[in-house]
Amino acid sequence: MRLIDVEAFLNREQLIREGKRVDRRAKVLEFGDDEVTEYAILSHRWTEQEVDYNEVVKLAKMPEEERSEIRQRDGYRKILQSCRQAKKDGYKWLWVDTCCIDKRSSAELSEAINSMYRWYENSRICYTYLRDVHASSTFPASGDYRNWQGSNGWPEWFSRGWTLQEMIAPMDVQFFNKDWHPIGDKRTLSPILENITRVPQHILKEGLSSNRPCVAQIMSWAANRMTTRVEDRAYSLMGLLDVNMPMLYGEGKKAFHRLQLEIIRISNDQSIFAWGYSEPYLVRTGSILADDPSCFRDCAKMELMNQDEFIDFLKGHIPDEELPSTDDDRFGTFPITNRGIQIWLFLCPYDGSKSVFQALLPCRSRPSDPPVAIDLALWESNYYRYNQSTVSLLMQTHERGHLRHVYLRYQDTSHCNSIFEIDDHAVLKEGFKASSVASLPGLSTRNVTATLGLNADPLRVIPYSFRQEYHFTVGVGHYFGQNWIHVICDEDMWFSYRRMLERAPEHAQSMKKARSGAAQCIYIFQTHLPRSTWILQISSVIWRGSGICGVKLEVFRDPGFGNVPDAWTCFDVDVSRFFLCTHIVVALVIVYTGNR
């Protein structure tokens, strides 16, 4: 690591200030070994007026005007004040991230980022500069949104991603206000710091090596923190999670995916899958990996369960013959393969579903709580994290669980959203009404257009009723690139919505099986409304490549042809627009109903 020679830096500054001749060959940066050198280190919030490696090295050789401009910057003043404080405390060396790394070298930058946690950990003292705490202020004891509105009511330093490790790693952290007056140290301020950062006091005082928390808890500390580059949300956590990996700026959120895979390679901590367990709106159907540290926001008290505790909980929830022994090695490893993460899990299916499961993990949200359960969906022999919106909190499973050897997909899905164009005029014309259910999530009335998919709602339903006598709910959904439509004839709209979510993979698979290979195809489905002579008919056309699915709803009296099949039938057609070719649909319906 490069270190600032405190004495050399201060001597050069004094000569420049006094207008005396400066030795242009004098070095202010030298290489040092962090394992044996006693050095101070600076933690701060970057601004637009920082001073880089090249400017510090060549300052003495610059023209007077350029040199003066650099010396007036806030970034230079921070380095100068840090050097003065280090000299006062008896340290010959100082490390500052803005100028001790030659960022023109990608190799040096990658080495520094991978080593940074260790550098802060090995420092003798860390000076934390809070530039937005005024000279007359002491360390803030409570949130103040008037002064720090943009950073959750606390100084901006507490909202940044990189400063998390800079607070935890060093044993001695000293805080300074805007004018470099000391306002407290980490140990003394640990109760306030825990309130601000949610990092436990014992971690602040003793470090991570004393009692390392589970992965999910460490991730939760970064949930509300920001970085200038998306990739740094992952890179700033490497030291805290004890992993190393190369820097690939430009990869975006894939950096956080890579971080999780690196953790899985060296750890058997299943709390890494516990993200979003209490905030389902953070979960999207797809990869088992989280997109961002914010997905772990509610994991601040998360802890691992030992195997004995976990097995004790499972008694009564799975068959006795499937209970593992306390020395069962199957839970100790889950290797990463090209198919997915290979792992043994206890899966409990939702009532009546063959495709949606709760998976129990050997971790809990807080002491004495039961194991965390996450939702998984089966699709084409692999298991994916499943988005069931807020309704997943209300779902119950009474099925017994089973120990299963499964593959959890970690690869990103590439399917686009789909737009449903819904025409229900024929239903309304017969006297049916769309129910008013605006307060229920995902439900709507007369929703002419609905956009669904991986980056939107997975399901949209419209409930209908006829004189309070007959009820049915039509749902349109999108699942791994497959549009699906389903109807449930029940008055309970919550039940209909929940049941459709539970069986979304099965509904999608049913329509997929019915689909042919034509460029355009029309699906037709008919079902009897219970205790009536009404038949509901759903006709749908999918325009391949456009992402648009047209849906036409109709009701008519039973013409007396017998039982309807309650299954989708698919016809290949060559039409430009479904709703402009009603005569084709009518002809198909006549053939369909006449041949039953």
Side-chain angles (χ1 to χ4, degrees):
M1 65 187 302
R2 282 194 186 86
L3 292 163
I4 299 173
D5 184 329
V6 171
E7 194 67 33
F9 189 96
L10 292 175
N11 286 342
R12 186 180 71 176
E13 172 61 22
Q14 183 175 354
L15 292 173
I16 293 174
R17 188 170 61 253
E18 294 175 353
K20 296 181 180 179
R21 185 174 178 272
V22 180
D23 184 357
R24 297 187 175 190
R25 294 172 299 176
K27 292 184 178 181
V28 295
L29 291 176
E30 298 280 0
F31 281 101
D33 185 345
D34 63 288
E35 298 288 348
V36 297
T37 306
E38 294 188 355
Y39 61 93
I41 201 164
L42 176 65
S43 177
H44 64 109
R45 167 73 176 105
W46 279 41
T47 69
E48 295 180 355
Q49 293 189 324
E50 300 300 339
V51 179
D52 64 24
Y53 163 81
N54 195 51
E55 291 169 325
V56 166
V57 170
K58 297 184 176 181
L59 187 71
K61 302 177 183 179
M62 292 179 178
E64 177 62 31
E65 184 177 350
E66 186 177 354
R67 179 194 301 172
S68 178
E69 186 275 326
I70 291 174
R71 292 176 59 243
Q72 294 304 313
R73 293 183 197 171
D74 290 341
Y76 186 86
R77 306 302 297 176
K78 278 188 290 191
I79 300 171
L80 178 60
Q81 291 291 350
S82 299
C83 285
R84 289 172 176 168
Q85 188 64 44
K87 182 178 180 180
K88 179 180 176 181
D89 293 335
Y91 295 101
K92 295 181 178 180
W93 304 100
L94 170 72
W95 190 85
V96 180
D97 55 359
T98 54
C99 64
C100 291
I101 306 170
D102 186 356
K103 299 176 185 65
R104 296 171 299 181
S105 167
S106 59
E108 182 171 334
L109 178 60
S110 181
E111 179 187 0
I113 290 177
N114 275 280
S115 306
M116 202 170 295
Y117 183 88
R118 190 186 77 240
W119 291 349
Y120 275 91
E121 186 177 36
N122 289 339
S123 67
R124 294 298 185 266
I125 191 169
C126 176
Y127 303 133
T128 296
Y129 176 56
L130 306 180
R131 68 184 180 92
D132 51 356
V133 175
H134 300 298
S136 60
S137 302
T138 58
F139 193 91
S142 59
D144 184 348
Y145 284 90
R146 184 171 59 88
N147 285 323
W148 301 299
Q149 183 177 4
S151 52
N152 297 320
W154 299 98
E156 191 178 18
W157 184 85
F158 291 102
S159 69
R160 308 306 300 177
W162 286 104
T163 57
L164 176 61
Q165 68 172 5
E166 295 165 15
M167 177 186 67
I168 293 173
M171 291 303 295
D172 187 0
V173 178
Q174 301 288 332
F175 291 92
F176 295 83
N177 68 11
K178 183 178 181 181
D179 286 348
W180 281 90
H181 294 147
I183 55 175
D185 66 273
K186 182 171 72 167
R187 282 184 166 271
T188 304
L189 296 170
S190 60
I192 299 175
L193 294 175
E194 181 180 28
N195 180 42
I196 299 172
T197 66
R198 301 194 298 175
V199 178
Q201 291 187 51
H202 72 89
I203 298 294
L204 294 170
K205 292 178 180 179
E206 307 300 332
L208 284 173
S209 58
S210 61
N211 185 14
R212 178 173 287 273
C214 67
V215 169
Q217 184 179 154
I218 295 174
M219 293 284 199
S220 75
W221 302 339
N224 297 321
R225 291 177 177 258
M226 301 172 289
T227 58
T228 303
R229 300 288 296 269
V230 173
E231 297 86 353
D232 284 336
R233 299 210 69 184
Y235 302 158
S236 62
L237 288 169
M238 291 193 302
L240 290 165
L241 294 161
D242 198 24
V243 298
N244 295 97
M245 63 185 196
M247 308 298 100
L248 297 173
Y249 282 104
E251 65 177 328
K253 69 178 184 181
K254 289 182 180 179
F256 193 63
H257 290 176
R258 281 202 299 130
L259 176 69
Q260 293 168 86
L261 292 176
E262 289 299 324
I263 294 168
I264 292 169
R265 287 188 178 96
I266 64 171
S267 167
N268 61 0
D269 185 339
Q270 291 191 28
S271 74
I272 196 170
F273 305 125
W275 57 276
Y277 75 98
S278 65
E279 296 182 272
Y281 61 86
L282 292 173
V283 181
R284 56 175 179 78
T285 300
S287 172
I288 190 64
L289 304 178
D291 280 343
D292 190 85
S294 63
C295 297
F296 292 89
R297 182 174 290 112
D298 277 359
C299 298
K301 301 293 183 181
M302 185 77 70
E303 65 177 28
L304 297 178
M305 300 175 68
N306 65 50
Q307 192 153 316
D308 290 343
E309 289 179 299
F310 188 49
I311 292 173
D312 282 344
F313 176 86
L314 294 174
K315 292 177 180 177
H317 293 82
I318 67 171
D320 291 342
E321 62 271 16
E322 293 192 30
L323 278 174
S325 62
T326 55
D327 58 351
D328 195 318
D329 191 46
R330 285 178 291 182
F331 304 106
T333 59
F334 34 97
I336 299 170
T337 73
N338 59 355
R339 179 176 170 183
I341 299 168
Q342 186 178 348
I343 189 171
W344 287 91
L345 288 175
F346 291 98
L347 300 183
C348 301
Y350 281 112
D351 291 346
S353 177
K354 299 178 181 178
S355 303
V356 180
F357 304 84
Q358 278 191 343
L360 300 178
L361 305 176
C363 57
R364 52 193 172 199
S365 57
R366 54 182 52 83
S368 76
D369 274 10
V372 167
I374 61 172
D375 290 336
L376 298 177
L378 175 63
W379 182 254
E380 296 180 345
S381 76
N382 288 322
Y383 289 79
Y384 297 80
R385 192 67 193 272
Y386 189 44
N387 178 2
Q388 299 204 77
S389 189
T390 55
V391 77
S392 65
L393 295 177
L394 303 176
M395 287 185 174
Q396 299 292 328
T397 174
H398 303 292
E399 302 281 346
R400 298 195 60 160
H402 295 276
L403 181 61
R404 292 287 183 263
H405 189 232
V406 302
Y407 287 89
L408 302 178
R409 291 286 289 184
Y410 61 85
Q411 296 88 342
D412 263 341
T413 51
S414 58
H415 302 300
C416 300
N417 292 339
S418 188
I419 299 173
F420 287 83
E421 296 178 348
I422 304 169
D423 180 0
D424 61 358
H425 289 90
V427 172
L428 301 179
K429 186 177 179 181
E430 293 291 342
F432 283 79
K433 296 183 181 298
S435 303
S436 177
V437 290
S439 62
L440 299 180
L443 299 165
S444 64
T445 60
R446 297 296 319 285
N447 208 359
V448 176
T449 303
T451 300
L452 307 177
L454 293 174
N455 302 314
D457 292 335
L459 170 66
R460 187 63 56 85
V461 302
I462 309 177
Y464 296 90
S465 62
F466 181 77
R467 300 175 184 173
Q468 301 303 314
E469 298 176 13
Y470 313 120
H471 305 269
F472 66 90
T473 300
V474 175
V476 294
H478 186 81
Y479 192 86
F480 287 106
Q482 174 63 49
N483 294 329
W484 61 270
I485 307 165
H486 191 66
V487 60
I488 292 181
C489 299
D490 194 280
E491 184 177 358
D492 188 339
M493 292 173 291
W494 264 116
F495 170 82
S496 300
Y497 182 60
R498 290 165 54 186
R499 186 48 56 94
M500 287 186 193
L501 278 175
E502 288 176 5
R503 299 188 177 183
E506 296 161 37
H507 302 326
Q509 190 65 35
S510 174
M511 293 196 72
K512 183 178 181 180
K513 288 180 179 178
R515 187 180 65 192
S516 62
Q520 280 91 218
C521 56
I522 290 180
Y523 296 88
I524 296 179
F525 176 87
Q526 291 184 347
T527 186
H528 265 119
L529 299 185
R531 303 178 304 279
S532 77
T533 58
W534 288 107
I535 289 179
L536 169 66
Q537 176 174 287
I538 304 174
S539 308
S540 175
V541 63
I542 297 175
W543 297 290
R544 301 277 177 86
S546 69
I548 298 176
C549 177
V551 181
K552 187 175 181 64
L553 307 179
E554 299 171 279
V555 289
F556 50 86
R557 297 292 183 177
D558 188 350
F561 289 114
N563 294 327
V564 294
D566 282 342
W568 286 99
T569 300
C570 186
F571 300 91
D572 297 345
V573 293
D574 185 12
V575 296
S576 59
R577 268 293 187 260
F578 174 56
F579 295 119
L580 297 180
C581 302
T582 308
H583 59 284
I584 297 179
V585 177
V586 172
L588 288 170
V589 171
I590 292 172
V591 172
Y592 177 60
T593 56
N595 290 331
R596 281 188 287 110

